[in-house]
Amino acid sequence: MNPFSYERASDSSAAVRAVSAHGAKFLGGGTNLVDLMRDGVENPTRLIDVNHLHLDEVTRLPNGGVRVGASVRNSDLANHEIIRAHYPLLSQALLNGASPQLRNMATTAGNLMQRTRCYYFMDTAFPACNKREPGSGCAAIQGFNRIHAILGASDSCIATNPSDMNVALAALEATVHVEGPSGKRAIPIADFHLLPGSTPHIETSLKPDELITAVELPAPKFAKHSYYLKVRDRQSYAFALVSVAAGLELEGNTIKSAGLALGGVALKPWRSLEAEKSLKGAAPTAEAFTKAAKLALDGAKPQKDNAFKIELAKQSIVHALTLAAKGAQA
Ligand code: SF4
């Protein structure tokens, strides 16, 4: 591991000032960053500890929504009574991530910023990785790419976003609040994570000197009918091959609105507006769910080792929507 200095920020303005130094990075739970530092993938020269900024509360908002502080631990968020009662989709997604020990340390902001688990990105013995070393190539395109993207990939990078939480946040239409040298701003979750294009090393719309302060959820719509389905090689402590965050707002036997996002298929949580639109006004039937699944996978392009993901994703969508309609709990 490269040598680095450590500094504990006392408030968000001080944190923003401190991170503007060359080579500085924020340190939250450290569950991803420290691993990457040990492996030589990340080499910050200065760590700004942002665990003591009093950003660790979950609060109800006058508009019926909820504000989640950036430092709220994943375990605390998953088990918070407001989240369990009104946003079970988020609670389920969080509990499907990592292990209990990791969830106890990992923060909301850190989870948003998780980096891909592409084997070639994680192992510096492979020189070709445009995300780690821009312009070096992509070892995964010709290599073993069973876990890689089927949607939104590019000739530069075919990695996926590893987070479960992010998939639920996409279906719930969350907003990310950030603070930087020129003030505060809010970024819709749909615009927060970026597709790789020709610049896969730029992963989010967050600027290097901006600090995530909170995530805001709109008033709940899917509390009674939502389901997070994760398909993976092992039942625990494994990343999704495919995951589905499904939420339905039902009025009698009619879908008033729907939220549908996929994980494990793209470099950002893949929300399908077309699928959501097709569900709106329909009855919650297998036929409507199958049509939505087909629309969500429209344009999917497999790599040589992961064609199975397309059918797996379609079937997972139908299954998750069916369970959501029944009001099942994951
Ligand atoms: Fe790097 Fe992306 Fe290629 Fe993986 S898929 S080797 S992260 S450029």
Side-chain angles (χ1 to χ4, degrees):
M1 192 187 281
N2 276 8
F4 60 92
S5 62
Y6 168 90
E7 179 179 338
R8 181 185 285 194
S10 54
D11 59 45
S12 52
S13 309
V16 168
R17 275 195 305 277
V19 88
S20 62
H22 181 70
K25 282 222 153 199
F26 292 129
L27 175 70
T31 54
N32 189 202
L33 177 60
V34 174
D35 277 355
L36 293 173
M37 288 169 67
R38 284 199 187 105
D39 292 339
V41 178
E42 293 255 21
N43 298 294
T45 52
R46 191 177 184 195
L47 290 183
I48 315 300
D49 186 338
V50 290
N51 284 292
H52 306 273
L53 308 182
H54 309 293
L55 300 174
D56 53 0
E57 289 192 355
V58 177
T59 43
R60 289 305 284 267
L61 297 170
N63 65 5
V66 164
R67 188 178 175 94
V68 178
S71 305
V72 175
R73 307 282 156 181
N74 288 181
S75 297
D76 293 337
L77 186 57
N79 294 309
H80 195 284
E81 57 180 356
I82 295 174
I83 302 302
R84 284 171 61 105
H86 300 288
Y87 304 93
L89 185 60
L90 177 56
S91 181
Q92 291 165 14
L94 284 160
L95 292 174
N96 269 280
S99 66
Q101 291 86 351
L102 285 165
R103 293 195 294 269
N104 286 343
M105 281 303 290
T107 64
T108 304
N111 201 329
L112 275 168
M113 298 297 289
Q114 267 197 81
R115 305 201 69 191
T116 185
R117 280 1 185 242
C118 169
Y119 328 112
Y120 306 100
F121 168 76
M122 302 274 289
D123 188 343
T124 55
F126 292 100
C129 174
N130 287 323
K131 186 178 280 296
R132 190 163 23 82
E133 196 59 51
S136 62
C138 172
I141 289 175
Q142 299 302 326
F144 183 55
N145 47 36
R146 179 172 178 269
I147 65 167
H148 289 76
I150 53 172
L151 286 160
S154 73
D155 291 344
S156 298
C157 179
I158 58 171
T160 57
N161 186 298
S163 167
D164 292 291
M165 182 191 81
N166 293 345
V167 187
L169 293 183
L172 293 168
E173 292 189 285
T175 301
V176 183
H177 289 267
V178 308
E179 182 175 334
S182 40
K184 299 178 180 179
R185 66 186 180 115
I187 308 170
I189 188 77
D191 301 330
F192 186 81
H193 297 99
L194 304 177
L195 289 175
S198 58
T199 54
H201 57 292
I202 303 172
E203 297 172 346
T204 69
S205 52
L206 191 75
K207 295 180 187 140
D209 54 2
E210 283 183 318
L211 171 74
I212 298 171
T213 54
V215 170
E216 196 173 312
L217 301 171
K221 290 192 290 187
F222 309 135
K224 288 191 189 144
H225 297 285
S226 63
Y227 200 89
Y228 187 75
L229 178 68
K230 181 173 182 177
V231 183
R232 47 187 156 174
D233 284 328
R234 266 195 320 262
Q235 191 47 37
S236 75
Y237 199 38
F239 295 96
L241 289 169
V242 164
S243 69
V244 182
L248 294 172
E249 184 184 15
L250 293 177
E251 217 168 49
N253 200 38
T254 303
I255 299 169
K256 195 175 165 198
S257 69
L260 187 70
L262 300 176
V265 298
L267 196 50
K268 64 186 288 179
W270 192 265
R271 184 176 171 208
S272 175
L273 293 176
E274 291 74 19
E276 290 178 8
K277 212 186 295 169
S278 83
L279 289 166
K280 193 173 171 182
T285 61
E287 192 186 14
F289 297 159
T290 304
K291 183 180 172 194
K294 197 165 171 287
L295 285 167
L297 272 296
D298 201 26
K301 187 168 162 261
Q303 311 301 325
K304 77 179 162 53
D305 299 313
N306 69 2
F308 72 95
K309 279 194 177 188
I310 296 178
E311 188 56 28
L312 181 63
K314 286 182 186 170
Q315 293 196 20
S316 298
I317 290 170
V318 173
H319 195 45
L321 285 168
T322 304
L323 291 170
K326 283 183 182 162
Q329 293 293 310

